[in-house]
Amino acid sequence: MGTESGHDLRHHGDAEVRDDGGSLVDLAVNVRADTPPAWLREHIAASLGGLAAYPDGRAARAAVAARHGLPVERVLLTAGAAEAFVLLARALKVRRPVVVHPQFTEPEAALRDAGHTVDRVLLREEDGFRLDPAAVPETADLVVIGNPTNPTSVLHPADVIASLARPGRLLVVDEAFMDAVPGEREALADRVDVPGLVVLRSLTKTWGLAGLRIGYVLAAPETIEDLERAQPLWPVSTPALAAAQACVGPRAVAEAAHAAHRIAADRAHLLTGLARLAPAGLRVVEPAQGPFVLIRLPHAATVRGRLRDLGYAVRRGDTFPGLDGEWLRLAVRDRATVDGFLRALERAVAGTPTR
C-alpha cells in the first residue's frame, strides 16, 4: 500500500537520481551537498574498530539530550526519521490520525501500512500553504505536520503549531530541516510545556548521512517508552551512534548554524533567478525558509524531462497530496550549480531543442 487518491506516497527524491539518473546534477534530493565533511567521515571511520561489540547508545542519547537541554528520558535514537514514523504508527494507540499536507508522505504511508485510516488536511496554495489550525478536526488524536514543511518550504510559527495541542492528542512535528533555518526559529524541539508534543529530528539532511540512517525523537518519557518497546534490539548501529554524538556537539552545531546562513544566501540567489521566469508562468511558494523551494509552472512534467536531457534532476511534485503535475521541488545548491541550472531551466521552459 503506498498509492492513495492517485498519489504515490512511496516516491521520494532519490528516485530521480537512481539508475540512468546517477550522472545528473542533483537538485532532487534534499541532502546538503558536499557532505559529510572530512572531520565527520574520520570520526565515523574511527568507530569501526568497535564493530565487534553490540551498539551502546547511552552516550549518543545523552549528547542529544544535552544539545536540547532535556533529560535523557525524553530522547529516543532511531534509524533515521523514517523509522520514527513507523514506530509512531505501530506503537501508539490512536483512533483518528490526521496528516497536514502537502508534506513528506512517509508519515501517512506508515500509518496506512499499520492499518490506520488517515484523514488529510490540505493546506491551500491561495493561503501560501500556511497552517490554519481551525482546519484540523477537534476529534483528531494524532496530528502530523512538518516544520519547515517539505516540499513547500513554509516555516509555520511555533505558537500556531503549539495551538494544535489538546488533552489526549499527540502532536507530531517533523523538524528534519529545522537546523537549516538560521537560528532554528520556530523550533519546538526544546519545549516541554506543550502537552502531547512529539518532535522528530534527522541528522541525514544537514550532514549528508542518508546512507547511515540516524535521527531521533523528543517526547514525554511515557511516549518514548512506548516507542522504544516497538523497536528491535540495537536499532542504531555503532557508526550511526558515533555520528549522532558528533553532530549534536558544539562544533557541529556551530557549523550547522553557519551552513544555515549560507543556504539562505544561496536560496535567495536561486529565487532571484527564478523570478526572471515569471513571464513564462513560473510561480514560487514564498517566503521559502527551507533548503529547497517549491515552484509551479505550466507543463512541469515536460520541463522536468527536458531538464533531465540537459543534465539536471529535480523532484516531481505530483506525488504530494494537495499538489498536481504542475509542481516541482528544487533543492538549494551553491551559486555555480544554481547558475548552470537556471540556464538549463530557461532552455527547458522555452522548449529549446536539447540535442
Side-chain angles (χ1 to χ4, degrees):
M1 180 185 300
T3 302
E4 293 288 339
S5 304
H7 296 279
D8 181 1
L9 302 181
R10 294 296 190 188
H11 181 91
H12 300 298
D14 61 320
E16 310 282 357
V17 290
R18 287 194 201 124
D19 303 326
D20 63 339
S23 63
L24 301 178
V25 178
D26 180 9
L27 280 81
V29 176
N30 287 330
V31 173
R32 198 178 110 211
D34 301 322
T35 51
W39 68 263
L40 181 54
R41 291 197 303 270
E42 292 167 2
H43 183 83
I44 294 169
S47 74
L48 299 181
L51 291 185
Y54 285 95
D56 183 348
R58 289 176 296 177
R61 187 180 185 187
V64 170
R67 186 250 194 269
H68 293 286
L70 299 172
V72 294
E73 293 80 13
R74 296 185 70 94
V75 176
L76 181 68
L77 302 174
T78 59
E83 188 205 8
F85 291 125
V86 172
L87 294 176
L88 287 164
R90 293 178 178 177
L92 303 180
K93 308 302 181 186
V94 296
R95 298 177 306 280
R96 190 178 182 189
V98 170
V99 179
V100 180
H101 286 289
Q103 78 150 0
F104 183 51
T105 53
E106 202 60 31
E108 179 172 328
L111 285 162
R112 291 186 182 278
D113 286 349
H116 296 283
T117 299
V118 181
D119 289 334
R120 293 173 176 172
V121 170
L122 299 179
L123 304 184
R124 305 189 306 168
E125 178 188 2
E126 53 265 40
D127 297 330
F129 296 109
R130 290 170 178 79
L131 173 64
D132 175 10
V136 177
E138 283 294 325
T139 53
D141 57 358
L142 174 70
V143 178
V144 185
I145 185 169
N147 202 38
T149 301
N150 170 22
T152 63
S153 208
V154 169
L155 183 66
H156 304 288
D159 288 345
V160 173
I161 293 180
S163 73
L164 293 174
R166 301 282 189 280
R169 171 186 287 177
L170 288 168
L171 174 59
V172 179
V173 185
D174 177 6
E175 291 190 350
F177 295 99
M178 187 60 79
D179 59 356
V181 176
E184 296 196 4
R185 63 187 190 280
E186 312 306 342
L188 288 166
D190 303 348
R191 298 271 295 268
V192 296
D193 61 319
V194 181
L197 177 65
V198 180
V199 174
L200 277 57
R201 286 281 182 115
S202 169
L203 297 173
T204 64
K205 312 300 184 184
T206 289
W207 296 108
L209 298 174
L212 196 61
R213 312 307 308 141
I214 180 64
Y216 54 89
V217 182
L218 307 172
E222 57 270 24
T223 301
I224 295 297
E225 290 175 2
D226 289 340
L227 298 178
E228 192 169 19
R229 278 194 294 270
Q231 275 187 314
L233 289 173
W234 311 292
V236 180
S237 70
T238 294
L241 292 171
Q245 191 170 354
C247 290
V248 297
R251 172 184 178 173
V253 171
E255 185 174 322
H258 177 75
H261 287 283
R262 186 174 67 250
I263 289 167
D266 290 340
R267 183 180 60 238
H269 182 67
L270 172 61
L271 293 174
T272 297
L274 292 173
R276 295 197 297 267
L277 288 168
L282 187 149
R283 298 290 181 269
V284 182
V285 176
E286 293 191 83
Q289 301 291 340
F292 46 85
V293 300
L294 183 66
I295 65 171
R296 183 171 194 170
L297 75 163
H299 312 296
T302 300
V303 169
R304 176 171 155 266
R306 289 174 179 161
L307 283 169
R308 292 183 73 85
D309 291 339
L310 291 165
Y312 291 86
V314 298
R315 170 69 157 89
R316 57 189 281 200
D318 61 334
T319 63
F320 293 100
L323 302 183
D324 59 24
E326 291 196 339
W327 295 93
L328 298 172
R329 190 193 69 196
L330 316 174
V332 174
R333 297 293 186 240
D334 64 272
R335 291 190 174 211
T337 301
V338 165
D339 287 342
F341 167 74
L342 289 169
R343 288 191 293 270
L345 180 60
E346 288 172 358
R347 290 181 62 188
V349 169
T352 303
T354 61
R355 291 185 177 86

